Amino acid sequence: MQPKIDEPDEEHRRELRRNVFEITRLRMAGRIDEMMRYFARDVVVRYHGTKEGLFLPGVLHGRDAFKENIRLTDVNYEPLGGEVLDILVDGERTVVRWRNSWRHRNSGRTATLDMAHFLYWRNGKVVELLEYLDYHGLGRSAAEALIERDEP
């Protein structure tokens, strides 16, 4: 016999899953102002792993710094598409594993990344985000793994 699922907890898990999915969708659509509504003003963003150029590992404090880092990313890279692979929810913690593709605006080179984001929620807002990523590579080999956009 399976234990009875507590309906309010299950609905909360579903809501967090929807929110996490929406964050990824808004990010790849370039709708950053809308995406920011999910983040607390004092959010802490921790970047881990190897990044190239101006995207170095480090810590950002606050929604404005996070938004500015995304703006700088979009100056150099065009989002080409993404897909959510997994979303896990444990209480007020969520993890999303997703794959996305980007084109460098100057060189035209593409990169596909597997990313994991660990999000910690409080009062319906993300208060801490940890980002881990893995490059599939740059250039022609990345084109084989490229995730195309949904729209033409």
Side-chain angles (χ1 to χ4, degrees), residues 8-103:
D9 287 344
E10 183 59 28
E11 182 51 40
H12 183 66
R13 282 191 285 277
R14 283 191 200 116
E15 179 183 0
L16 286 178
R17 288 177 56 83
R18 285 190 300 267
N19 290 351
V20 169
F21 186 84
E22 184 68 359
I23 288 169
T24 63
R25 189 185 70 75
L26 291 169
R27 172 61 188 106
M28 294 308 285
R31 295 166 55 189
I32 308 310
D33 286 332
E34 289 176 64
M35 185 185 99
M36 286 297 140
R37 75 175 184 247
Y38 291 98
F39 294 88
R41 281 206 174 283
D42 60 348
V43 65
V44 175
V45 180
R46 300 177 192 281
Y47 293 105
H48 297 275
T50 304
K51 290 190 170 197
E52 64 177 33
L54 69 123
F55 312 114
L56 301 174
V59 179
L60 298 175
H61 296 275
R63 193 167 53 200
D64 291 340
F66 182 34
K67 185 177 174 182
E68 177 62 10
N69 193 56
I70 291 172
R71 187 193 69 76
L72 291 172
T73 300
D74 290 353
V75 164
N76 291 297
Y77 294 92
E78 173 190 10
L80 299 178
E83 65 179 320
V84 172
L85 304 172
D86 294 300
I87 298 174
L88 302 172
V89 178
D90 181 16
E92 296 299 309
R93 298 175 294 182
T94 58
V95 179
V96 60
R97 189 172 64 92
W98 61 308
R99 182 170 294 145
N100 46 64
S101 294
W102 303 83
R103 178 180 299 119

